[in-house]
Amino acid sequence: MIIQNSAYNNYFRPGNIYGNKKQEEQTPLTQKQKRIILASSAMGVAPVLAVLAARKGFSLNPARIIKTPVKDWAIFKYAPKDKSIQFETAENMAIALGSVLGGFIGGAIVDDKSNLKAKKREILNQLLGNAIVPIACVGGGAAFYAKHQDKIEGFMPQIKNKSGNTILDKVFKNNSKQVVSVLNKILKKIPNVAGTFGFLGIGVYIGNRVSNFINNKIYHKKVDRKVKVSDFAPHVDDLCLAASMMNKESCFGSVIGRIIPLALLVPGYQTGIAREKK
């Protein structure tokens, strides 16, 4: 029997909001919600920085901090090295953990509860794919390079400049020796730069593959999170870490290391804004 023009047909008609309900797109997070998540990520980092500062003898008394010149605050002071925070492998991992936990808590508070599992999955993606594994890879590579720096740089070709007999003398006149000296220094640092980016790329790839695998096993849901451009934002800290470890005798690494806590807010923020795909 064929039933026509009935409530039955209306109920099961394709596209009907009852019989074949379509999932609605989620309302995007507001700027206020995003700011709260970023702030919560910063709040997760704050206790870690406080512990690191206290270990170096910095006061945590707000009254004393206010009276201290900004350049001498724990987060900005970079010298002398034995009395300032040095952001190396262990410190960076601790900061990343605080950031991710803070971002997760903030996201869980301001976002819909249906996105909670997505944020939990993103914790692994961020900690393994964008923090622990890349930091470990770059840190290990930097340590190896620092140990064998002279041998590695010794393999790089050098430009010879015999005054008065080369084209360089004609181009740069009396400054050819200085120019050649600079170029030779740059050539020696090529393995340093190539190794840093190489270890970083390996770390990001392995970290994401491992986090996807673990998420699949835990949540029994296929997770194939591709490496995104935003994933490379927190890796400023890895580059800073490598620069610091490869230039231990100068203050360059300590100065650039001040960027690390700011860069590591990104994993926490990305965790907090993670949502289920509809």
Side-chain angles (χ1 to χ4, degrees):
M1 180 176 68
I2 300 176
I3 303 175
Q4 296 179 343
N5 299 324
S6 67
Y8 179 91
N9 285 337
N10 289 333
Y11 184 85
F12 287 102
R13 187 174 65 245
N16 184 275
I17 60 173
Y18 300 106
N20 190 19
K21 186 182 291 185
K22 295 182 178 179
Q23 289 183 314
E24 296 180 358
E25 291 294 330
Q26 295 191 73
T27 303
L29 290 170
T30 65
Q31 290 301 314
K32 181 179 180 180
Q33 288 174 313
K34 291 180 179 180
R35 285 194 294 268
I36 291 174
I37 291 171
L38 182 60
S40 67
S41 178
M43 290 176 66
V45 169
V48 181
L49 292 178
V51 171
L52 295 177
R55 287 172 56 186
K56 288 294 184 177
F58 289 94
S59 174
L60 301 181
N61 187 326
R64 292 189 60 181
I65 294 174
I66 293 174
K67 294 179 180 179
T68 303
V70 175
K71 65 181 181 64
D72 291 328
W73 286 5
I75 190 65
F76 298 122
K77 189 176 178 65
Y78 62 88
K81 294 187 71 172
D82 61 333
K83 294 183 179 180
S84 60
I85 301 174
Q86 299 303 308
F87 296 103
E88 299 187 4
T89 303
E91 290 80 1
N92 290 349
M93 289 184 179
I95 294 172
L97 178 60
S99 172
V100 168
L101 291 179
F104 172 77
I105 292 172
I109 292 173
V110 302
D111 199 2
D112 190 274
K113 302 306 178 186
S114 63
N115 294 309
L116 199 58
K117 283 189 176 181
K119 299 182 195 304
K120 290 179 180 179
R121 293 195 298 270
E122 192 65 15
I123 288 177
L124 276 176
N125 290 331
Q126 293 298 330
L127 283 180
L128 290 178
N130 295 337
I132 294 175
V133 175
I135 288 174
C137 284
V138 174
F144 175 84
Y145 184 88
K147 184 176 180 179
H148 303 283
Q149 183 173 354
D150 292 337
K151 291 182 180 180
I152 296 173
E153 293 182 353
F155 284 108
M156 296 304 296
Q158 296 288 279
I159 301 172
K160 295 181 179 180
N161 179 35
K162 296 180 179 179
S163 182
N165 298 321
T166 66
I167 297 176
L168 289 174
D169 274 330
K170 296 179 181 179
V171 175
F172 298 106
K173 297 182 180 181
N174 295 327
N175 296 320
S176 62
K177 287 186 177 180
Q178 291 86 337
V179 172
V180 169
S181 177
V182 172
L183 291 175
N184 282 335
K185 289 180 179 179
I186 293 174
L187 286 172
K188 282 188 175 183
K189 293 300 179 182
I190 288 178
N192 184 322
V193 177
T196 298
F197 283 100
F199 281 112
L200 176 58
I202 292 171
V204 173
Y205 177 79
I206 293 177
N208 273 275
R209 300 313 300 173
V210 171
S211 65
N212 287 343
F213 175 79
I214 295 176
N215 271 321
N216 290 343
K217 295 299 181 181
I218 292 177
Y219 296 102
H220 306 290
K221 178 178 179 180
K222 182 175 176 56
V223 178
D224 191 18
R225 183 184 184 279
K226 305 298 183 182
V227 178
K228 302 183 293 186
V229 175
S230 62
D231 291 341
F232 287 86
H235 299 308
V236 172
D237 70 289
D238 299 325
L239 298 176
C240 294
L241 172 63
S244 176
M245 296 185 71
M246 293 179 184
N247 298 273
K248 288 186 177 181
E249 301 305 319
S250 70
C251 66
F252 172 72
S254 295
V255 173
I256 200 169
R258 306 304 107 178
I259 303 172
I260 291 175
L262 184 63
L264 281 175
L265 292 179
V266 176
Y269 177 76
Q270 291 294 328
T271 299
I273 66 171
R275 312 183 91 187
E276 295 288 358
K277 293 181 179 179
K278 297 298 183 180

